[in-house]
Amino acid sequence: MEQGREVAVSIVAPEPDVSVVVIVYNDEERLATAVGSVLEQTLRNVEVIIADDCSTDGSHEVAQALAAAHPDRVRAIRLQENSGGCGEPRNQGVKAARGRYVMFLDSDDTLERNACRNMIEAADRTGADLVSGLCVRVHTDSRHGKRVLWYPWLYRSTRTLDSVAELPDLFVFDTLSTNKCYRRRFLIDNDLVFPRGIHYEDLLFSAQAYLAAERITLIPHTVYHWNVAQKSAVKSISNRRGEISNFADRVEIHRRIDAILDRRGQDELKLRKDVKFLKHDLVLYLRELPFLDDEYRHRFAELARGYVQDFPEAAYAELDRVHAICAQLLLREDWTDLMPAIDTLINRHKISAPLTERGGRIYWTDRYLDNPEMRELLDVTTLGYHARPLNRMALRNRLTAYAVHGGDLVLAGELVNPLRIIAPGAELGAELEFRARRRSLQTFRFPVPAPRHEGDTIAWRAEVPLARRLRPLGIVDDVWDVRLHLTADGKRTTSRLTVGAVDLEHAGSLPVRPRLTRLMADRLEAQVSAKGHLAFRLTQHGRLARTGRAAVERNLHGRPARAAKRAYRTLRAVRRDLNSGARKIQVYDRMLRRLPVRKGTVVFESHLGKQYSDSPRAVFEELRRRKTPITPIWSYAGERPTGFPQDVELVRRWSWRYLKALAQAEFWIDNQGYPLRLAKRPETTYIQTWHGSALKRMGFDEPTHRMMSEPDQRSYQQALDRFDHFVVRGEHDVRTLARAYRIPEEKLLRTGYPRNDALVRVREGAPLPADVQRLADRLGLAPDRRVLLYAPTFRAHPDGRVRDFAFPFDVEDFAARFGDDHTLLVRAHYLNRVTLPPSVAGRVIDVSAEPDITPLLLLADCLITDYSSVMFDYALLRRPLVFYAHDWEEYAQDSRGTYFDLLTEAPGPVPRTEDELFAVIRDLGTVQSKYEARLKEFVDKYGEYDRGDAAAQIVDRFFGAAGETR
């Protein structure tokens, strides 16, 4: 280099791996936090472009300060005028971006610390145009740090798609633009920009990006924190659903997406999107309709009708009944019937309409029934409203008046009376309950004078001295809910107050005197809950509204308050820990099992505590009949035990008393299995009576069990090894159940099932037990009618979810054909729910709630089943058995398989269609004679040890023969 000569050196900044476009409008307080979440990324080669949408606060100044503080990583741009949405700031940010990839971030949200690294690594590894990760909605105003994963099933594992059509749910549900990383060249080459001057720009942009991408990668990592403040006074643009332009924008965006899908021939994606619009988008606005005026409703209905009326029938077929009713009533602008339907749509267990019965069917309204299509749509029989007793009904209670007179609150309402379940002459009583929303705090009750019938409703009115009687604490009980308790002839129903069109805002607030301090609150102000119900919030309206609250807030966050809060949280954590499953197992293993065994203590359990039934019941009753000196303990599941004996100790399953009882018991007797992780001490004898012989493959014969990991298989085997004795009713059980559960020969009890003793005794001529005759009287069974019992096996969806029971034949047709001389008892599996139409009342009876099936078997002249193990038990009676195998191929050829071919071995006819089934029922006499020999062979093969003395054998062996003392 020559002396004195200067050489200019040009330094080119390296290309960033990713440019994060942070958009901001009037959010100066949170902008720095959002930008900070980018600057703190573990991937360092990241640039930030702050795109300010012409803010009127100090947002741009904050952006400039951040750019000045990080000149090599942050740039700030500002639009000349406000665009009114999120799209244009993002477009301008993309234009300024230099990174290989682009991401978007809103100023009120944050990125997860490893978001950029995880997404860029996935993009580079797979060559994806678009990478999408898990978004988490963080409820910033939740006391408990509520966090909700955004469609998590899409992100359970890493996967790469060559087309979004491979995963329609991704296109339909995850329409966010912010939890994604885009190859910048991909955006430019496909001219992908956000629409301008219209809301819901994310929907259109995401749809275009999904369809243009030649490869899409999904990663199971959290990448985006979407901060949500539900109690915010200022709603976000997308949440301003009371503005008709908001819905108009949504519809327009969907129309544009539809046009793209039509051009590309993506009919399946279009159908999936239509279904989602009906199930989600439309419902968001329906929720608001009860609070909006007629002009808005009419304009909304016009817009909705113009868009959804052309949806294909397949889209409407995906809706549940109430949802479909709402859609059709909206298109007809039937506000009278629609408002109650919306209430039920939001509160799924609520009955909101008076309902009507025609021809043995239940309809939502009596209007439109002359229209065949609407008649079918309005049929809500299968929802089972008519079958619920009053105390299990959640009824719509429409608020009709709300006024504040000084310190008194005047409330009036109308409670719907569906199908006039509350009779005109019923003795009525009512009270209002004001309850703090936080559990275990205060409740105040006020009488409601003279509720009365008014047409299809129960009308009520009350003047409540709220200011004088309700004394909140003042700090921790800021929200109060209201309920009405109505009693009719001693039966009680509880309802929330649906607000609707009642004006709460101008009625005024109520003075209150909190017990702790008036600095935080001195008024109760009415509000509407998320479900549309009346609620109240404590507020401060007096002269201390600012200074007092500020002082209390300072004290609440001061050192003593922080110490008190820590102590309180510690106590709560200790309580949660003590009641956790892991802690209970630990205490059970280390302490409870060291307690002395209580001689003579027997813990009984049937079907995981759900029933007092089956073989454990039979053994218990044999012990009680003999007056054997034992201490019986029965376990129950749920909040309250029903149907259990009154003279025994009852313990709730998984409670501390339950664990202590099991730890100290001399005997465990059950038919399914005590909690798998509870070890049994050597001094305790576990008698497993089991709950039925097997047609379907069980235990380690199931593919799912064979595919378990070795540790899981060992754990499962250890639970099975707890059995000291395993009851079998035949050698079929030895070859199937015992082998599948790896039960050694020395543990087998070849006694037969104790529950079947009653069946064998009746077959041999014994009279029906007294409790069976009482059951017949309670069910109203006429002695001159033949009793048929329909008991199908358990039904579930392919993914294992329990589904409601659905008749595989027309039950109304059955009642019409055979109801004069037959009564059909329907016994669904205890996990499935049955709904019978009123038209079959008295001829078809739901007995699914009966705790024990044995008395029902004794009452039945014929059993109709499909593949239920009850076939093995009922066969002992040598009465006709009918196997309605309408879906045998589906049942037998799934991954589990069966132990034998029922179609060839069935000891009775096997109809495959409804007509064949009804033909068999018409000729049951022939069935009896034709299958008598095969029935005996079936019993000899599958139940040779059921001789009527199983309970006696077990009691003799383990508790001493009759007359002996232990």
Side-chain angles (χ1 to χ4, degrees):
M1 183 179 295
E2 297 180 14
Q3 188 174 2
R5 183 176 180 180
E6 296 183 359
V7 177
V9 179
S10 176
I11 301 176
V12 179
E15 177 187 54
D17 285 320
V18 60
S19 299
V20 179
V21 177
V22 182
I23 62 169
V24 62
Y25 176 70
N26 285 357
D27 196 15
E28 60 181 323
E29 292 183 359
R30 293 178 291 190
L31 176 58
T33 301
V35 172
S37 74
V38 183
L39 297 176
E40 295 166 5
Q41 288 289 300
T42 54
L43 181 71
R44 303 305 297 171
N45 190 22
V46 177
E47 75 165 352
V48 182
I49 298 166
I50 305 173
D52 175 33
D53 198 11
C54 199
S55 296
T56 58
D57 68 351
S59 295
H60 186 56
E61 287 70 24
V62 173
Q64 289 179 312
L66 289 167
H70 307 277
D72 55 335
R73 301 189 67 191
V74 179
R75 285 183 287 150
I77 61 175
R78 188 169 194 251
L79 277 65
Q80 294 302 309
E81 60 181 8
N82 179 252
S83 69
C86 301
E88 189 57 20
R90 289 174 182 155
N91 290 337
Q92 296 303 317
V94 173
K95 288 181 179 179
R98 297 185 299 111
R100 294 188 298 127
Y101 295 92
V102 174
M103 295 171 62
F104 302 111
L105 174 64
D106 293 349
S107 62
D108 53 348
D109 300 329
T110 58
L111 292 182
E112 195 278 334
R113 191 164 181 263
N114 299 294
C116 292
R117 179 179 298 281
N118 288 332
M119 299 184 89
I120 300 307
E121 286 180 352
D124 287 343
R125 183 179 68 254
T126 63
D129 295 320
L130 185 160
V131 176
S132 189
L134 186 61
C135 172
V136 178
R137 284 171 59 96
V138 180
H139 292 257
T140 57
D141 51 0
S142 166
R143 290 195 313 270
H144 309 294
K146 180 180 176 182
R147 297 162 65 90
V148 180
L149 304 184
W150 186 253
Y151 301 115
W153 78 83
L154 296 171
Y155 298 98
R156 288 180 180 146
S157 62
T158 299
R159 61 186 301 183
T160 298
L161 312 172
D162 292 327
S163 167
V164 73
E166 296 176 23
L167 187 60
D169 278 358
L170 180 64
F171 181 89
V172 169
F173 291 103
D174 189 358
T175 57
L176 299 178
S177 65
T178 48
N179 61 332
K180 297 171 177 61
C181 175
Y182 311 86
R183 196 179 298 274
R184 185 164 64 92
R185 193 72 251 169
F186 161 71
L187 296 179
I188 295 170
D189 291 347
N190 289 276
D191 195 25
L192 291 176
V193 295
F194 289 87
R196 301 170 178 84
I198 189 169
H199 301 319
Y200 303 107
E201 60 286 323
D202 265 24
L203 274 67
L204 181 57
F205 180 84
S206 296
Q208 291 173 317
Y210 281 141
L211 292 167
E214 295 182 1
R215 184 165 291 177
I216 301 168
T217 296
L218 309 182
I219 60 174
H221 307 294
T222 298
V223 299
Y224 197 85
H225 293 137
W226 179 0
N227 296 321
V228 181
Q230 290 185 321
K231 300 172 186 175
S232 173
V234 179
K235 291 187 176 182
S236 65
I237 292 172
S238 60
N239 284 328
R240 295 172 191 165
R241 290 187 279 272
E243 301 171 6
I244 196 63
S245 60
N246 184 281
F247 184 60
D249 281 357
R250 188 183 287 262
V251 169
E252 176 58 26
I253 287 290
H254 275 272
R255 288 188 186 278
R256 296 185 191 184
I257 297 172
D258 293 345
I260 299 171
L261 293 172
D262 287 340
R263 287 197 301 271
R264 290 176 170 265
Q266 292 284 0
D267 295 339
E268 179 61 24
L269 286 180
K270 169 69 165 58
L271 174 60
R272 293 298 98 202
K273 190 191 72 64
D274 289 347
V275 172
K276 194 250 188 177
F277 186 90
L278 292 171
K279 285 187 171 183
H280 174 74
D281 299 58
L282 193 62
V283 173
L284 292 175
Y285 296 86
L286 288 176
R287 298 170 68 102
E288 306 291 331
L289 282 187
F291 311 103
L292 299 170
D293 57 33
D294 291 340
E295 182 181 352
Y296 176 96
R297 293 178 184 177
H298 174 65
R299 181 67 182 128
F300 173 75
E302 280 188 328
L303 286 168
R305 183 166 48 244
Y307 182 54
V308 306
Q309 66 183 358
D310 294 328
F311 280 13
E313 287 298 321
Y316 286 100
E318 294 281 339
L319 302 182
D320 61 48
R321 187 51 52 94
V322 173
H323 203 147
I325 288 172
C326 285
Q328 288 300 321
L329 294 176
L330 172 65
L331 297 183
R332 287 168 169 75
E333 296 196 45
D334 179 354
W335 310 118
T336 301
D337 289 319
L338 177 59
M339 293 305 120
I342 291 173
D343 203 359
T344 294
L345 187 65
I346 299 170
N347 303 277
R348 286 304 179 132
H349 298 293
K350 186 183 290 188
I351 305 176
S352 298
L355 309 178
T356 188
E357 180 181 346
R358 296 284 177 84
R361 307 293 296 180
I362 306 299
Y363 297 93
W364 185 260
T365 177
D366 58 4
R367 291 198 276 184
Y368 314 111
L369 296 185
D370 55 344
N371 180 325
E373 292 182 358
M374 284 296 289
R375 187 183 185 95
E376 181 179 356
L377 176 79
L378 294 168
D379 188 336
V380 293
T381 308
T382 57
L383 299 182
Y385 295 146
H386 60 283
R388 299 182 195 174
L390 181 63
N391 58 2
R392 288 185 51 222
M393 285 185 170
L395 302 178
R396 184 174 199 244
N397 193 347
R398 185 175 69 90
L399 194 65
T400 58
Y402 178 95
V404 175
H405 295 155
D408 292 343
L409 176 65
V410 178
L411 295 173
E414 293 178 343
L415 196 73
V416 71
N417 186 13
L419 301 172
R420 306 205 172 184
I421 186 173
I422 304 173
E427 183 178 346
L428 302 179
E431 65 175 4
L432 283 167
E433 175 189 270
F434 289 72
R435 179 190 298 177
R437 186 167 293 178
R438 293 189 70 177
R439 287 185 176 183
S440 75
L441 294 178
Q442 302 181 91
T443 297
F444 297 87
R445 292 185 173 88
F446 304 90
V448 175
R452 64 197 183 280
H453 281 83
E454 279 193 7
D456 289 329
T457 68
I458 305 297
W460 58 272
R461 181 181 178 86
E463 294 188 15
V464 182
L466 214 56
R468 285 177 283 129
R469 294 273 309 279
L470 191 144
R471 294 293 308 278
L473 295 176
I475 295 177
V476 293
D477 53 353
D478 56 330
V479 180
W480 290 74
D481 293 314
V482 191
R483 293 171 174 83
L484 178 82
H485 300 296
L486 178 79
T487 57
D489 290 337
K491 296 180 180 179
R492 187 169 101 154
T493 181
T494 299
S495 58
R496 303 285 297 272
L497 309 189
T498 299
V499 175
V502 172
D503 184 6
L504 303 180
E505 185 176 352
H506 298 98
S509 57
L510 288 142
V512 289
R513 291 179 298 145
R515 296 176 188 271
L516 297 181
T517 175
R518 298 185 67 182
L519 296 177
M520 284 294 285
D522 62 1
R523 312 289 290 184
L524 265 181
E525 201 165 79
Q527 65 176 30
V528 182
S529 73
K531 296 286 190 177
H533 300 131
L534 178 65
F536 291 89
R537 179 177 292 277
L538 289 174
T539 60
Q540 173 61 263
H541 282 205
R543 59 185 176 84
L544 299 174
R546 291 186 179 179
T547 58
R549 177 173 288 269
V552 174
E553 290 285 357
R554 283 195 301 272
N555 288 329
L556 284 174
H557 296 90
R559 182 177 298 175
R562 287 199 301 270
K565 288 178 183 179
R566 281 196 299 270
Y568 173 69
R569 288 168 185 154
T570 300
L571 288 173
R572 286 187 60 190
V574 169
R575 181 178 179 182
R576 282 197 304 269
D577 178 65
L578 285 174
N579 286 285
S580 69
R583 181 63 66 192
K584 284 182 174 179
I585 291 170
Q586 185 182 63
V587 173
Y588 174 86
D589 286 336
R590 297 183 180 180
M591 297 178 60
L592 297 181
R593 286 206 302 148
R594 299 179 184 275
L595 296 173
V597 170
R598 295 167 57 194
K599 287 292 185 180
T601 298
V602 186
V603 177
F604 295 91
E605 185 170 287
S606 180
H607 295 299
L608 309 179
K610 294 182 175 68
Q611 299 174 352
Y612 170 64
S613 66
D614 212 79
S615 292
R617 172 180 177 172
V619 174
F620 166 71
E621 291 182 349
E622 176 68 13
L623 287 164
R624 187 164 61 175
R625 184 185 66 79
R626 296 187 184 190
K627 298 182 179 179
T628 304
I630 64 167
T631 303
I633 300 174
W634 273 89
S635 90
Y636 69 91
E639 293 300 319
R640 295 182 181 86
T642 56
F644 288 84
Q646 300 298 313
D647 57 347
V648 299
E649 182 181 352
L650 301 178
V651 293
R652 186 165 56 84
R653 204 169 194 265
W654 265 115
S655 66
W656 284 109
R657 287 178 58 214
Y658 174 79
L659 298 177
K660 185 172 183 292
L662 287 176
Q664 293 189 273
E666 185 180 4
F667 290 94
W668 293 0
I669 300 178
D670 89 317
N671 64 353
Q672 197 156 340
Y674 292 102
L676 298 181
R677 296 177 62 188
L678 294 183
K680 181 188 72 67
R681 63 197 301 169
E683 305 95 318
T684 300
T685 300
Y686 188 170
I687 303 172
Q688 174 56 256
T689 65
W690 206 241
H691 53 274
S693 298
L695 169 62
K696 202 80 165 176
R697 293 189 179 274
M698 305 288 286
F700 286 102
D701 287 346
E702 291 186 52
T704 53
H705 283 74
R706 293 198 298 269
M707 293 170 61
M708 289 193 305
S709 66
E710 288 189 15
D712 287 343
Q713 288 199 32
R714 283 197 301 271
S715 178
Y716 187 56
Q717 186 63 57
Q718 288 172 358
L720 297 173
D721 289 343
R722 296 177 303 172
F723 302 161
D724 295 298
H725 303 281
F726 187 86
V727 174
V728 295
R729 60 193 305 268
E731 288 305 305
H732 170 72
D733 291 352
V734 177
R735 293 188 298 271
T736 57
L737 292 173
R739 183 176 60 82
Y741 290 113
R742 300 174 181 174
I743 310 295
E745 171 67 28
E746 63 270 16
K747 290 187 177 183
L748 299 181
L749 289 179
R750 289 177 167 84
T751 61
Y753 284 167
R755 73 182 187 195
N756 289 340
D757 291 347
L759 302 178
V760 176
R761 287 196 293 266
V762 169
R763 182 192 71 200
E764 294 177 349
L768 286 177
D771 64 324
V772 177
Q773 190 56 57
R774 287 194 296 270
L775 174 61
D777 294 339
R778 177 160 56 83
L779 296 176
L781 300 181
D784 59 340
R785 284 188 178 188
R786 179 176 279 165
V787 176
L788 310 180
L789 175 62
Y790 178 49
T793 192
F794 171 66
R795 301 289 177 178
H797 293 283
D799 61 4
R801 289 180 296 113
V802 177
R803 70 187 188 199
D804 286 346
F805 173 81
F807 279 97
F809 58 88
D810 189 332
V811 70
E812 291 179 290
D813 191 14
F814 173 92
R817 294 188 187 209
F818 304 105
D820 291 340
D821 46 19
H822 291 72
T823 300
L824 180 67
L825 306 180
V826 179
R827 167 78 173 198
H829 189 277
Y830 66 87
L831 292 175
N832 295 130
R833 182 175 65 88
V834 174
T835 298
L836 295 174
S839 59
V840 302
R843 295 172 292 175
V844 182
I845 303 172
D846 177 16
V847 292
S848 303
E850 295 299 325
D852 199 347
I853 196 173
T854 300
L856 299 171
L857 298 178
L858 291 169
L859 288 174
D861 298 300
C862 170
L863 173 69
I864 304 170
T865 186
D866 44 15
Y867 326 110
S868 171
S869 64
V870 74
M871 69 174 83
F872 299 103
D873 305 315
Y874 189 77
L876 295 169
L877 289 167
R878 308 285 175 84
R879 297 174 188 172
L881 257 167
V882 177
F883 299 85
Y884 185 32
H886 61 95
D887 59 351
W888 169 252
E889 285 76 17
E890 176 187 342
Y891 183 84
Q893 296 176 13
D894 70 3
S895 59
R896 279 180 64 182
T898 61
Y899 285 118
F900 63 89
D901 184 356
L902 179 65
L903 300 190
T904 59
E905 293 199 37
V910 188
R912 306 295 301 278
T913 67
E914 179 179 297
D915 289 341
E916 291 176 1
L917 173 64
F918 289 173
V920 168
I921 294 173
R922 276 195 298 268
D923 196 15
L924 285 179
T926 301
V927 172
Q928 176 81 49
S929 57
K930 181 177 179 181
Y931 288 92
E932 184 176 3
R934 187 183 288 191
L935 193 56
K936 182 179 184 304
E937 293 173 4
F938 188 83
V939 171
D940 291 342
K941 183 174 182 178
Y942 295 108
E944 62 263 42
Y945 302 132
D946 279 323
R947 304 186 185 95
D949 62 348
Q953 286 191 64
I954 291 173
V955 171
D956 285 347
R957 174 166 176 176
F958 297 102
F959 299 91
E964 293 182 9
T965 57
R966 299 180 72 233

